Amino acid sequence: KESSNYLLWAQAVKIYIIAKKKLKFLNSDPPAPDASGYEDWMQENTVILIWLWNSMEYEIAANVMFHNTAKGIWDNLKDSYSQDKNMNRVYDLYDKMFHLR
């Protein structure tokens, strides 16, 4: 069930994040802890963590609760639920199935 909802969820969340002008938090690594602006970055990142957790079912949120960055959660969910990695395998299986003699 979760994997079938992932693409819709990810698109809705991404659009929301873009509307808030915070897409860099899903795509970029955090600055170094001693860098200027790190505390402000962490504060904004924390807000996005809360948005992400609140948009998920409890069981899924519990699995990503210990990531410290929105990017970490985003990447973990993509790896876990997107079909990107499986598409080549699915194509290969269909190709073999249709070419059986």
Side-chain angles (χ1 to χ4, degrees):
K1 179 184 173 191
E2 289 84 9
S3 62
S4 65
N5 292 334
Y6 170 77
L7 292 176
L8 294 174
W9 173 87
Q11 181 66 10
V13 169
K14 185 176 176 181
I15 295 301
Y16 181 81
I17 298 288
I18 290 170
K20 297 291 188 174
K21 298 182 180 181
K22 304 291 183 191
L23 187 60
K24 66 182 178 182
F25 290 90
L26 299 183
N27 296 331
S28 303
D29 291 320
D34 59 350
S36 172
Y38 177 76
E39 283 188 37
D40 291 336
W41 186 94
M42 282 301 292
Q43 184 274 328
E44 290 185 73
N45 176 72
T46 302
V47 169
I48 297 166
L49 290 175
I50 293 166
W51 292 345
L52 292 173
W53 293 330
N54 285 337
S55 70
M56 297 177 209
E57 294 178 11
Y58 172 79
E59 294 80 15
I60 296 171
N63 288 330
V64 295
M65 188 65 65
F66 293 99
H67 281 282
N68 293 323
T69 65
K71 183 181 186 311
I73 289 177
W74 192 253
D75 291 347
N76 182 275
L77 293 172
K78 182 177 182 184
D79 288 345
S80 297
Y81 297 111
S82 86
Q83 301 300 312
D84 289 350
K85 288 190 249 176
N86 296 330
M87 290 312 289
N88 288 333
R89 177 75 176 135
V90 169
Y91 175 80
D92 289 342
L93 290 173
Y94 273 115
D95 189 52
K96 287 177 185 176
M97 185 174 72
F98 287 118
H99 291 97
L100 283 175
R101 299 178 199 261

